[in-house]
Amino acid sequence: MFGVILSSLVCGLVPYLVIRALWCHFYPKRHHLQGKHVLVTGGSSGIGLSVARQVALLGAKVTLVARNVERLQKAKEEVESACTKLEGDSSSRVQIFSVDLAGRRENIDTAIKEAEASQGPVYMLVNCAGFSRAQVFEDIPQSLVKELIDVNLMGSFTVTQEVVRGMKQRGEGGVVVFTSSQGGLVGLYGFTAYSAAKGAVVKLAEALHMELKPHGITVTVCYPPDTQTPGFEEENKTKPVETRLISEAAGLFTSDQVAKKLVDDALQGNFISTVGFEGFMLTTLCAGMGPVTDSLSLLSQMFLTGLFRLISAFYLWSFSNIVRREHEKKITAGSRTKAECSQVFFWTQACRQE
Ligand SMILES: NC(=O)C1=CN([C@@H]2O[C@H](COP(=O)(O)OP(=O)(O)OC[C@H]3O[C@@H](n4cnc5c(N)ncnc54)[C@H](OP(=O)(O)O)[C@@H]3O)[C@@H](O)[C@H]2O)C=CC1
Ligand SMILES: CCCCCCCCCCCCCCCC(=O)[C@@H](N)CO
């Protein structure tokens, strides 16, 4: 009986996913970017840089915001050279601003005002600036918790506040994108501080979506899995083995794959954007009472949540196996060291006695 239900669900899933992929591809876009101003925070590297390249290729004027000036300059050249085949002067297409989004609010406000003064009002804002650090709970210094929240949550909050004010006044609609993470939907080993910061971004986006809907401004949240970027390389230098093994369950993608899906979803006005089958299952399962932006996603959530909850139990079981195995390894290694220590102890004692 259970087998019949499960196999019919799985058989239904394949054609459904094909229809879904076709729908997403051919569904008409709600927003267009030709000649519009797109501001990308974290646009000098990784996912943000890929987003900047994609929107520039769609004819947008782009502002990149980050701290390091050399990386910004290099990113500007990269985006401009990607656009050489487009009509018009590509050198005036991209401008850069060096601002610390975890820093003083006046600097952030001034940069946005200057960016709008030269490229026109921001039509699309992509909050991509952020970082992650994985560490065991009790080892995380307060300063790191604060920094993770300041950059990932408060940075997005402040920039969006400033941009949305203008968007609402003009009444011409717009797009706001937040970058959370799959680790913002499920709390993972090593990500106590990071998951908290990225989870908060999701709730900020849900509430803002409700406020902005009557103004024709759509909100999208991107939930990337592990993505090959300089930020990811940095995270890997100190990441606990448990975090690495668990995260690997959702696969590894390129920043172009994540950015392409992000831009497609944002232009269609979809609230959720993710890549990969695990991403699809996770965002469907965790839809909760998030906004309904397209009927196909609502359908998946209605019919697949139960099945995906069951599947999640298997994933969680394998995750706890990873954690237990690593825990046992540490205990064995620990007791071996203790045994070695005591051997050394006896040996030195014996030497002393001699
Ligand atoms: N790569 C991954 O596996 C995943 C990434 N994400 C999220 O996607 C986003 C992009 O990540 P990714 O492309 O990997 O990161 P990168 O480190 O490659 O790029 C981060 C960008 O943000 C900028 N930035 C960081 N801190 C600040 C700050 N305080 N003020 C202004 N700009 C800042 C960086 O420039 P500069 O340092 O010069 O300021 C850089 O342009 C992040 O929010 C990340 O958490 C989510 C899930 C997975
Ligand atoms: C039906 C249920 C399906 C469940 C699938 C579960 C898969 C969970 C894996 C979560 C991966 C989290 C990666 C976070 C990456 C990240 O944010 C950092 N790399 C940032 O740099």
Side-chain angles (χ1 to χ4, degrees), residues 131-133 180-184 186 188 191 194 198 224-227 229 231-232 235-236 239 243 246-251 277-283 285 307-313 315 319:
F131 78 106
S132 82
R133 213 48 91 240
S180 177
S181 157
Q182 291 186 8
V186 51
L188 299 178
F191 275 155
Y194 177 72
K198 289 299 194 186
D226 279 343
T227 309
T229 65
F232 180 60
E235 166 193 311
N236 284 342
K239 192 154 77 177
T243 315
I246 293 171
S247 299
E248 277 173 5
F277 189 60
E278 284 78 12
F280 167 67
M281 289 199 289
L282 189 65
T283 50
L285 177 61
L307 173 68
F308 287 174
R309 179 57 180 142
L310 178 66
I311 296 176
S312 82
Y315 274 93
F319 296 165

mmCIF file of all heavy atoms in Angstrom, residues 131-133 180-184 186 188 191 194 198 224-227 229 231-232 235-236 239 243 246-251 277-283 285 307-313 315 319, ligand 2:
data_model
loop_
_atom_site.group_PDB
_atom_site.id
_atom_site.type_symbol
_atom_site.label_atom_id
_atom_site.label_comp_id
_atom_site.label_asym_id
_atom_site.label_seq_id
_atom_site.Cartn_x
_atom_site.Cartn_y
_atom_site.Cartn_z
ATOM 1 N N PHE A 131 28.872 37.042 3.954
ATOM 2 C CA PHE A 131 29.937 36.046 4.116
ATOM 3 C C PHE A 131 29.498 35.001 5.120
ATOM 4 O O PHE A 131 28.493 35.181 5.815
ATOM 5 C CB PHE A 131 31.247 36.727 4.561
ATOM 6 C CG PHE A 131 31.289 37.075 6.022
ATOM 7 C CD1 PHE A 131 32.065 36.327 6.912
ATOM 8 C CD2 PHE A 131 30.553 38.134 6.528
ATOM 9 C CE1 PHE A 131 32.111 36.642 8.261
ATOM 10 C CE2 PHE A 131 30.588 38.462 7.884
ATOM 11 C CZ PHE A 131 31.361 37.725 8.746
ATOM 12 N N SER A 132 30.228 33.905 5.150
ATOM 13 C CA SER A 132 29.898 32.873 6.120
ATOM 14 C C SER A 132 31.156 32.395 6.817
ATOM 15 O O SER A 132 32.265 32.494 6.260
ATOM 16 C CB SER A 132 29.231 31.691 5.415
ATOM 17 O OG SER A 132 30.216 30.870 4.858
ATOM 18 N N ARG A 133 30.982 31.927 8.020
ATOM 19 C CA ARG A 133 32.087 31.310 8.747
ATOM 20 C C ARG A 133 31.448 30.170 9.535
ATOM 21 O O ARG A 133 30.461 30.384 10.237
ATOM 22 C CB ARG A 133 32.691 32.352 9.699
ATOM 23 C CG ARG A 133 34.160 32.313 9.979
ATOM 24 C CD ARG A 133 35.133 32.183 8.794
ATOM 25 N NE ARG A 133 35.575 33.448 8.242
ATOM 26 C CZ ARG A 133 35.357 33.815 6.981
ATOM 27 N NH1 ARG A 133 34.699 33.050 6.148
ATOM 28 N NH2 ARG A 133 35.800 34.969 6.528
ATOM 29 N N SER A 180 19.806 34.726 0.779
ATOM 30 C CA SER A 180 19.878 33.953 2.020
ATOM 31 C C SER A 180 20.809 32.789 1.739
ATOM 32 O O SER A 180 21.882 32.965 1.150
ATOM 33 C CB SER A 180 18.471 33.504 2.424
ATOM 34 O OG SER A 180 18.509 32.710 3.573
ATOM 35 N N SER A 181 20.392 31.572 2.058
ATOM 36 C CA SER A 181 21.198 30.377 1.818
ATOM 37 C C SER A 181 20.293 29.197 2.138
ATOM 38 O O SER A 181 19.305 29.350 2.874
ATOM 39 C CB SER A 181 22.391 30.378 2.772
ATOM 40 O OG SER A 181 22.882 29.070 2.961
ATOM 41 N N GLN A 182 20.627 28.022 1.619
ATOM 42 C CA GLN A 182 19.860 26.833 2.046
ATOM 43 C C GLN A 182 20.073 26.628 3.550
ATOM 44 O O GLN A 182 19.226 26.086 4.231
ATOM 45 C CB GLN A 182 20.277 25.614 1.229
ATOM 46 C CG GLN A 182 19.814 25.761 -0.213
ATOM 47 C CD GLN A 182 20.064 24.541 -1.064
ATOM 48 O OE1 GLN A 182 20.462 23.483 -0.580
ATOM 49 N NE2 GLN A 182 19.826 24.677 -2.350
ATOM 50 N N GLY A 183 21.226 27.115 4.037
ATOM 51 C CA GLY A 183 21.499 27.080 5.472
ATOM 52 C C GLY A 183 20.668 28.099 6.256
ATOM 53 O O GLY A 183 20.742 28.152 7.479
ATOM 54 N N GLY A 184 19.897 28.919 5.567
ATOM 55 C CA GLY A 184 18.958 29.828 6.233
ATOM 56 C C GLY A 184 17.597 29.169 6.386
ATOM 57 O O GLY A 184 16.707 29.693 7.066
ATOM 58 N N VAL A 186 17.474 25.506 6.830
ATOM 59 C CA VAL A 186 17.699 24.404 7.765
ATOM 60 C C VAL A 186 18.976 24.715 8.553
ATOM 61 O O VAL A 186 20.003 25.059 7.969
ATOM 62 C CB VAL A 186 17.767 23.035 7.022
ATOM 63 C CG1 VAL A 186 18.737 23.040 5.866
ATOM 64 C CG2 VAL A 186 18.135 21.906 7.976
ATOM 65 N N LEU A 188 22.236 24.038 10.381
ATOM 66 C CA LEU A 188 23.207 22.952 10.221
ATOM 67 C C LEU A 188 24.364 23.058 11.199
ATOM 68 O O LEU A 188 24.713 24.164 11.627
ATOM 69 C CB LEU A 188 23.809 22.995 8.809
ATOM 70 C CG LEU A 188 22.863 22.820 7.631
ATOM 71 C CD1 LEU A 188 23.637 22.934 6.338
ATOM 72 C CD2 LEU A 188 22.158 21.481 7.702
ATOM 73 N N PHE A 191 26.842 26.045 11.723
ATOM 74 C CA PHE A 191 26.241 27.267 11.177
ATOM 75 C C PHE A 191 25.308 27.960 12.173
ATOM 76 O O PHE A 191 24.355 28.625 11.751
ATOM 77 C CB PHE A 191 25.462 26.931 9.899
ATOM 78 C CG PHE A 191 26.315 26.903 8.638
ATOM 79 C CD1 PHE A 191 25.932 26.141 7.544
ATOM 80 C CD2 PHE A 191 27.487 27.652 8.533
ATOM 81 C CE1 PHE A 191 26.699 26.105 6.369
ATOM 82 C CE2 PHE A 191 28.257 27.623 7.362
ATOM 83 C CZ PHE A 191 27.864 26.857 6.297
ATOM 84 N N TYR A 194 25.622 31.684 11.467
ATOM 85 C CA TYR A 194 25.332 31.973 10.052
ATOM 86 C C TYR A 194 23.869 31.651 9.718
ATOM 87 O O TYR A 194 23.174 32.457 9.085
ATOM 88 C CB TYR A 194 26.289 31.146 9.192
ATOM 89 C CG TYR A 194 26.080 31.269 7.705
ATOM 90 C CD1 TYR A 194 26.418 32.428 7.027
ATOM 91 C CD2 TYR A 194 25.553 30.205 6.961
ATOM 92 C CE1 TYR A 194 26.237 32.530 5.649
ATOM 93 C CE2 TYR A 194 25.379 30.286 5.593
ATOM 94 C CZ TYR A 194 25.717 31.456 4.943
ATOM 95 O OH TYR A 194 25.540 31.551 3.584
ATOM 96 N N LYS A 198 21.071 34.222 8.269
ATOM 97 C CA LYS A 198 20.434 33.993 6.965
ATOM 98 C C LYS A 198 18.941 33.672 7.118
ATOM 99 O O LYS A 198 18.147 33.976 6.232
ATOM 100 C CB LYS A 198 21.145 32.866 6.218
ATOM 101 C CG LYS A 198 22.534 33.252 5.716
ATOM 102 C CD LYS A 198 22.478 34.408 4.724
ATOM 103 C CE LYS A 198 23.779 34.588 3.977
ATOM 104 N NZ LYS A 198 23.780 35.776 3.129
ATOM 105 N N PRO A 224 21.049 29.843 -2.209
ATOM 106 C CA PRO A 224 22.068 29.024 -2.879
ATOM 107 C C PRO A 224 22.529 27.864 -2.007
ATOM 108 O O PRO A 224 22.568 27.973 -0.782
ATOM 109 C CB PRO A 224 23.238 30.003 -3.084
ATOM 110 C CG PRO A 224 22.731 31.350 -2.693
ATOM 111 C CD PRO A 224 21.583 31.143 -1.782
ATOM 112 N N PRO A 225 22.892 26.751 -2.649
ATOM 113 C CA PRO A 225 23.652 25.709 -1.942
ATOM 114 C C PRO A 225 25.129 26.117 -1.999
ATOM 115 O O PRO A 225 25.423 27.263 -2.376
ATOM 116 C CB PRO A 225 23.388 24.477 -2.805
ATOM 117 C CG PRO A 225 23.170 25.016 -4.173
ATOM 118 C CD PRO A 225 22.659 26.431 -4.045
ATOM 119 N N ASP A 226 26.055 25.218 -1.675
ATOM 120 C CA ASP A 226 27.484 25.539 -1.833
ATOM 121 C C ASP A 226 27.719 26.006 -3.267
ATOM 122 O O ASP A 226 27.282 25.350 -4.220
ATOM 123 C CB ASP A 226 28.337 24.287 -1.561
ATOM 124 C CG ASP A 226 28.526 24.050 -0.067
ATOM 125 O OD1 ASP A 226 28.298 24.989 0.719
ATOM 126 O OD2 ASP A 226 28.899 22.919 0.299
ATOM 127 N N THR A 227 28.416 27.128 -3.417
ATOM 128 C CA THR A 227 28.649 27.706 -4.745
ATOM 129 C C THR A 227 30.130 28.069 -4.853
ATOM 130 O O THR A 227 30.673 28.691 -3.931
ATOM 131 C CB THR A 227 27.780 28.980 -4.910
ATOM 132 O OG1 THR A 227 26.426 28.651 -4.564
ATOM 133 C CG2 THR A 227 27.818 29.494 -6.335
ATOM 134 N N THR A 229 32.931 30.045 -5.255
ATOM 135 C CA THR A 229 33.223 31.486 -5.259
ATOM 136 C C THR A 229 34.434 31.725 -4.358
ATOM 137 O O THR A 229 34.777 30.865 -3.541
ATOM 138 C CB THR A 229 32.053 32.295 -4.654
ATOM 139 O OG1 THR A 229 31.936 31.929 -3.266
ATOM 140 C CG2 THR A 229 30.731 32.049 -5.348
ATOM 141 N N GLY A 231 34.434 33.542 -1.796
ATOM 142 C CA GLY A 231 33.888 33.490 -0.429
ATOM 143 C C GLY A 231 33.806 32.055 0.072
ATOM 144 O O GLY A 231 34.095 31.771 1.245
ATOM 145 N N PHE A 232 33.412 31.142 -0.817
ATOM 146 C CA PHE A 232 33.292 29.723 -0.453
ATOM 147 C C PHE A 232 34.676 29.138 -0.150
ATOM 148 O O PHE A 232 34.847 28.368 0.803
ATOM 149 C CB PHE A 232 32.598 28.981 -1.599
ATOM 150 C CG PHE A 232 32.404 27.512 -1.348
ATOM 151 C CD1 PHE A 232 31.653 27.066 -0.266
ATOM 152 C CD2 PHE A 232 32.960 26.567 -2.196
ATOM 153 C CE1 PHE A 232 31.471 25.707 -0.025
ATOM 154 C CE2 PHE A 232 32.791 25.201 -1.967
ATOM 155 C CZ PHE A 232 32.041 24.773 -0.888
ATOM 156 N N GLU A 235 35.626 30.236 3.281
ATOM 157 C CA GLU A 235 34.865 29.478 4.286
ATOM 158 C C GLU A 235 35.474 28.087 4.492
ATOM 159 O O GLU A 235 35.571 27.600 5.625
ATOM 160 C CB GLU A 235 33.418 29.360 3.788
ATOM 161 C CG GLU A 235 32.566 28.339 4.505
ATOM 162 C CD GLU A 235 31.266 28.057 3.750
ATOM 163 O OE1 GLU A 235 30.587 29.023 3.369
ATOM 164 O OE2 GLU A 235 30.926 26.890 3.556
ATOM 165 N N ASN A 236 35.932 27.473 3.402
ATOM 166 C CA ASN A 236 36.467 26.107 3.476
ATOM 167 C C ASN A 236 37.752 25.990 4.278
ATOM 168 O O ASN A 236 38.093 24.905 4.740
ATOM 169 C CB ASN A 236 36.693 25.561 2.063
ATOM 170 C CG ASN A 236 35.382 25.170 1.434
ATOM 171 O OD1 ASN A 236 34.376 24.996 2.128
ATOM 172 N ND2 ASN A 236 35.366 25.043 0.118
ATOM 173 N N LYS A 239 36.312 25.391 7.861
ATOM 174 C CA LYS A 239 35.005 24.730 8.061
ATOM 175 C C LYS A 239 35.157 23.363 8.724
ATOM 176 O O LYS A 239 35.961 22.540 8.274
ATOM 177 C CB LYS A 239 34.359 24.579 6.681
ATOM 178 C CG LYS A 239 32.923 24.201 6.713
ATOM 179 C CD LYS A 239 32.173 24.657 5.479
ATOM 180 C CE LYS A 239 32.420 23.807 4.267
ATOM 181 N NZ LYS A 239 31.624 24.252 3.123
ATOM 182 N N THR A 243 30.324 20.068 8.805
ATOM 183 C CA THR A 243 29.611 21.074 8.001
ATOM 184 C C THR A 243 29.837 20.804 6.517
ATOM 185 O O THR A 243 28.907 20.891 5.716
ATOM 186 C CB THR A 243 30.120 22.492 8.369
ATOM 187 O OG1 THR A 243 30.210 22.593 9.777
ATOM 188 C CG2 THR A 243 29.197 23.565 7.827
ATOM 189 N N ILE A 246 27.846 17.600 5.401
ATOM 190 C CA ILE A 246 26.392 17.822 5.369
ATOM 191 C C ILE A 246 26.024 18.736 4.195
ATOM 192 O O ILE A 246 25.097 18.453 3.434
ATOM 193 C CB ILE A 246 25.903 18.406 6.723
ATOM 194 C CG1 ILE A 246 26.067 17.366 7.832
ATOM 195 C CG2 ILE A 246 24.455 18.871 6.624
ATOM 196 C CD1 ILE A 246 25.833 17.887 9.239
ATOM 197 N N SER A 247 26.776 19.810 4.028
ATOM 198 C CA SER A 247 26.475 20.761 2.946
ATOM 199 C C SER A 247 26.592 20.109 1.575
ATOM 200 O O SER A 247 25.862 20.467 0.647
ATOM 201 C CB SER A 247 27.416 21.961 2.993
ATOM 202 O OG SER A 247 27.277 22.640 4.201
ATOM 203 N N GLU A 248 27.508 19.159 1.466
ATOM 204 C CA GLU A 248 27.710 18.496 0.169
ATOM 205 C C GLU A 248 26.446 17.802 -0.335
ATOM 206 O O GLU A 248 26.307 17.552 -1.534
ATOM 207 C CB GLU A 248 28.856 17.471 0.273
ATOM 208 C CG GLU A 248 30.220 18.114 0.103
ATOM 209 C CD GLU A 248 31.385 17.162 0.377
ATOM 210 O OE1 GLU A 248 31.162 15.951 0.607
ATOM 211 O OE2 GLU A 248 32.536 17.651 0.378
ATOM 212 N N ALA A 249 25.519 17.503 0.598
ATOM 213 C CA ALA A 249 24.262 16.818 0.212
ATOM 214 C C ALA A 249 23.475 17.617 -0.820
ATOM 215 O O ALA A 249 22.718 17.050 -1.602
ATOM 216 C CB ALA A 249 23.402 16.585 1.444
ATOM 217 N N ALA A 250 23.652 18.941 -0.818
ATOM 218 C CA ALA A 250 22.879 19.771 -1.760
ATOM 219 C C ALA A 250 23.681 20.089 -3.017
ATOM 220 O O ALA A 250 23.214 20.841 -3.872
ATOM 221 C CB ALA A 250 22.418 21.046 -1.061
ATOM 222 N N GLY A 251 24.878 19.523 -3.151
ATOM 223 C CA GLY A 251 25.674 19.708 -4.373
ATOM 224 C C GLY A 251 26.504 20.983 -4.364
ATOM 225 O O GLY A 251 26.451 21.771 -3.415
ATOM 226 N N PHE A 277 18.013 19.844 -7.340
ATOM 227 C CA PHE A 277 16.816 19.134 -6.894
ATOM 228 C C PHE A 277 16.649 19.234 -5.369
ATOM 229 O O PHE A 277 15.531 19.396 -4.875
ATOM 230 C CB PHE A 277 16.874 17.662 -7.349
ATOM 231 C CG PHE A 277 15.582 16.950 -7.097
ATOM 232 C CD1 PHE A 277 14.401 17.393 -7.676
ATOM 233 C CD2 PHE A 277 15.539 15.845 -6.255
ATOM 234 C CE1 PHE A 277 13.192 16.752 -7.432
ATOM 235 C CE2 PHE A 277 14.338 15.198 -5.999
ATOM 236 C CZ PHE A 277 13.168 15.648 -6.584
ATOM 237 N N GLU A 278 17.773 19.186 -4.634
ATOM 238 C CA GLU A 278 17.668 19.323 -3.169
ATOM 239 C C GLU A 278 17.144 20.714 -2.825
ATOM 240 O O GLU A 278 16.347 20.871 -1.914
ATOM 241 C CB GLU A 278 19.031 19.093 -2.478
ATOM 242 C CG GLU A 278 19.469 17.657 -2.379
ATOM 243 C CD GLU A 278 20.019 17.124 -3.691
ATOM 244 O OE1 GLU A 278 20.262 17.947 -4.613
ATOM 245 O OE2 GLU A 278 20.195 15.903 -3.814
ATOM 246 N N GLY A 279 17.603 21.707 -3.598
ATOM 247 C CA GLY A 279 17.118 23.081 -3.392
ATOM 248 C C GLY A 279 15.623 23.161 -3.606
ATOM 249 O O GLY A 279 14.893 23.792 -2.825
ATOM 250 N N PHE A 280 15.157 22.482 -4.652
ATOM 251 C CA PHE A 280 13.718 22.460 -4.943
ATOM 252 C C PHE A 280 12.952 21.798 -3.789
ATOM 253 O O PHE A 280 11.943 22.317 -3.304
ATOM 254 C CB PHE A 280 13.464 21.728 -6.270
ATOM 255 C CG PHE A 280 12.025 21.383 -6.507
ATOM 256 C CD1 PHE A 280 11.074 22.386 -6.721
ATOM 257 C CD2 PHE A 280 11.602 20.062 -6.514
ATOM 258 C CE1 PHE A 280 9.735 22.071 -6.928
ATOM 259 C CE2 PHE A 280 10.270 19.741 -6.719
ATOM 260 C CZ PHE A 280 9.336 20.744 -6.918
ATOM 261 N N MET A 281 13.463 20.641 -3.321
ATOM 262 C CA MET A 281 12.759 19.926 -2.238
ATOM 263 C C MET A 281 12.752 20.767 -0.965
ATOM 264 O O MET A 281 11.718 20.899 -0.298
ATOM 265 C CB MET A 281 13.450 18.589 -1.963
ATOM 266 C CG MET A 281 13.264 17.567 -3.056
ATOM 267 S SD MET A 281 13.585 15.883 -2.494
ATOM 268 C CE MET A 281 15.341 15.894 -2.270
ATOM 269 N N LEU A 282 13.908 21.341 -0.656
ATOM 270 C CA LEU A 282 14.034 22.097 0.593
ATOM 271 C C LEU A 282 13.143 23.348 0.599
ATOM 272 O O LEU A 282 12.441 23.615 1.576
ATOM 273 C CB LEU A 282 15.504 22.486 0.801
ATOM 274 C CG LEU A 282 15.868 23.087 2.136
ATOM 275 C CD1 LEU A 282 15.669 22.086 3.265
ATOM 276 C CD2 LEU A 282 17.316 23.576 2.144
ATOM 277 N N THR A 283 13.144 24.094 -0.504
ATOM 278 C CA THR A 283 12.334 25.321 -0.540
ATOM 279 C C THR A 283 10.844 24.980 -0.581
ATOM 280 O O THR A 283 10.029 25.720 -0.040
ATOM 281 C CB THR A 283 12.700 26.212 -1.752
ATOM 282 O OG1 THR A 283 12.689 25.421 -2.936
ATOM 283 C CG2 THR A 283 14.053 26.872 -1.580
ATOM 284 N N LEU A 285 9.495 22.266 0.860
ATOM 285 C CA LEU A 285 9.178 21.812 2.217
ATOM 286 C C LEU A 285 9.101 22.975 3.203
ATOM 287 O O LEU A 285 8.284 22.976 4.118
ATOM 288 C CB LEU A 285 10.254 20.807 2.673
ATOM 289 C CG LEU A 285 10.159 20.264 4.084
ATOM 290 C CD1 LEU A 285 8.852 19.518 4.297
ATOM 291 C CD2 LEU A 285 11.323 19.333 4.378
ATOM 292 N N LEU A 307 5.410 14.299 1.308
ATOM 293 C CA LEU A 307 6.457 13.387 0.804
ATOM 294 C C LEU A 307 7.848 13.921 1.149
ATOM 295 O O LEU A 307 8.726 13.184 1.613
ATOM 296 C CB LEU A 307 6.306 13.234 -0.717
ATOM 297 C CG LEU A 307 7.405 12.457 -1.423
ATOM 298 C CD1 LEU A 307 7.373 10.980 -1.031
ATOM 299 C CD2 LEU A 307 7.284 12.593 -2.944
ATOM 300 N N PHE A 308 8.036 15.227 0.948
ATOM 301 C CA PHE A 308 9.356 15.814 1.200
ATOM 302 C C PHE A 308 9.703 15.790 2.694
ATOM 303 O O PHE A 308 10.868 15.694 3.055
ATOM 304 C CB PHE A 308 9.439 17.239 0.639
ATOM 305 C CG PHE A 308 9.528 17.276 -0.871
ATOM 306 C CD1 PHE A 308 9.494 18.490 -1.558
ATOM 307 C CD2 PHE A 308 9.652 16.106 -1.614
ATOM 308 C CE1 PHE A 308 9.576 18.523 -2.946
ATOM 309 C CE2 PHE A 308 9.729 16.125 -3.007
ATOM 310 C CZ PHE A 308 9.690 17.342 -3.675
ATOM 311 N N ARG A 309 8.682 15.881 3.549
ATOM 312 C CA ARG A 309 8.966 15.789 4.995
ATOM 313 C C ARG A 309 9.523 14.401 5.315
ATOM 314 O O ARG A 309 10.454 14.263 6.100
ATOM 315 C CB ARG A 309 7.687 16.080 5.804
ATOM 316 C CG ARG A 309 7.881 15.984 7.308
ATOM 317 C CD ARG A 309 8.975 16.927 7.793
ATOM 318 N NE ARG A 309 9.179 16.860 9.241
ATOM 319 C CZ ARG A 309 10.351 16.938 9.843
ATOM 320 N NH1 ARG A 309 11.454 17.091 9.133
ATOM 321 N NH2 ARG A 309 10.441 16.893 11.145
ATOM 322 N N LEU A 310 8.927 13.394 4.663
ATOM 323 C CA LEU A 310 9.407 12.028 4.882
ATOM 324 C C LEU A 310 10.852 11.902 4.375
ATOM 325 O O LEU A 310 11.724 11.366 5.069
ATOM 326 C CB LEU A 310 8.494 11.033 4.144
ATOM 327 C CG LEU A 310 8.889 9.569 4.236
ATOM 328 C CD1 LEU A 310 8.766 9.070 5.670
ATOM 329 C CD2 LEU A 310 8.016 8.709 3.318
ATOM 330 N N ILE A 311 11.078 12.443 3.171
ATOM 331 C CA ILE A 311 12.438 12.365 2.611
ATOM 332 C C ILE A 311 13.423 13.120 3.511
ATOM 333 O O ILE A 311 14.554 12.692 3.721
ATOM 334 C CB ILE A 311 12.455 12.917 1.161
ATOM 335 C CG1 ILE A 311 11.585 12.038 0.270
ATOM 336 C CG2 ILE A 311 13.880 12.987 0.609
ATOM 337 C CD1 ILE A 311 11.436 12.513 -1.164
ATOM 338 N N SER A 312 12.962 14.232 4.085
ATOM 339 C CA SER A 312 13.852 15.028 4.955
ATOM 340 C C SER A 312 14.309 14.206 6.157
ATOM 341 O O SER A 312 15.420 14.384 6.646
ATOM 342 C CB SER A 312 13.181 16.329 5.404
ATOM 343 O OG SER A 312 12.334 16.094 6.509
ATOM 344 N N ALA A 313 13.432 13.277 6.606
ATOM 345 C CA ALA A 313 13.806 12.449 7.762
ATOM 346 C C ALA A 313 15.031 11.588 7.412
ATOM 347 O O ALA A 313 15.910 11.384 8.251
ATOM 348 C CB ALA A 313 12.639 11.571 8.187
ATOM 349 N N TYR A 315 17.356 12.371 5.117
ATOM 350 C CA TYR A 315 18.513 13.291 5.073
ATOM 351 C C TYR A 315 19.005 13.573 6.499
ATOM 352 O O TYR A 315 20.195 13.508 6.778
ATOM 353 C CB TYR A 315 18.136 14.610 4.390
ATOM 354 C CG TYR A 315 18.258 14.575 2.882
ATOM 355 C CD1 TYR A 315 17.165 14.261 2.085
ATOM 356 C CD2 TYR A 315 19.466 14.862 2.241
ATOM 357 C CE1 TYR A 315 17.260 14.225 0.696
ATOM 358 C CE2 TYR A 315 19.578 14.826 0.861
ATOM 359 C CZ TYR A 315 18.470 14.512 0.097
ATOM 360 O OH TYR A 315 18.579 14.473 -1.270
ATOM 361 N N PHE A 319 22.567 12.957 8.193
ATOM 362 C CA PHE A 319 23.344 14.053 8.803
ATOM 363 C C PHE A 319 23.748 13.681 10.235
ATOM 364 O O PHE A 319 24.880 13.904 10.650
ATOM 365 C CB PHE A 319 22.559 15.365 8.832
ATOM 366 C CG PHE A 319 22.237 15.924 7.459
ATOM 367 C CD1 PHE A 319 21.282 16.921 7.293
ATOM 368 C CD2 PHE A 319 22.890 15.452 6.324
ATOM 369 C CE1 PHE A 319 20.984 17.429 6.031
ATOM 370 C CE2 PHE A 319 22.592 15.960 5.057
ATOM 371 C CZ PHE A 319 21.638 16.939 4.916
HETATM 372 C C1 LIG B 2 13.159 17.017 1.309
HETATM 373 C C2 LIG B 2 14.265 17.605 2.008
HETATM 374 C C3 LIG B 2 15.458 17.745 1.188
HETATM 375 C C4 LIG B 2 16.541 18.134 2.043
HETATM 376 C C5 LIG B 2 17.794 18.414 1.326
HETATM 377 C C6 LIG B 2 18.663 18.954 2.374
HETATM 378 C C7 LIG B 2 19.939 19.464 1.905
HETATM 379 C C8 LIG B 2 20.443 20.389 2.963
HETATM 380 C C9 LIG B 2 21.793 20.851 2.652
HETATM 381 C C10 LIG B 2 21.974 22.251 3.045
HETATM 382 C C11 LIG B 2 23.153 22.819 2.377
HETATM 383 C C12 LIG B 2 23.461 24.154 2.921
HETATM 384 C C13 LIG B 2 24.565 24.780 2.158
HETATM 385 C C14 LIG B 2 24.822 26.134 2.671
HETATM 386 C C15 LIG B 2 25.909 26.760 1.883
HETATM 387 C C16 LIG B 2 26.280 28.083 2.422
HETATM 388 O O1 LIG B 2 25.493 28.884 2.764
HETATM 389 C C17 LIG B 2 27.727 28.376 2.499
HETATM 390 N N1 LIG B 2 28.507 27.664 1.577
HETATM 391 C C18 LIG B 2 27.943 29.861 2.352
HETATM 392 O O2 LIG B 2 29.193 30.213 1.909
#
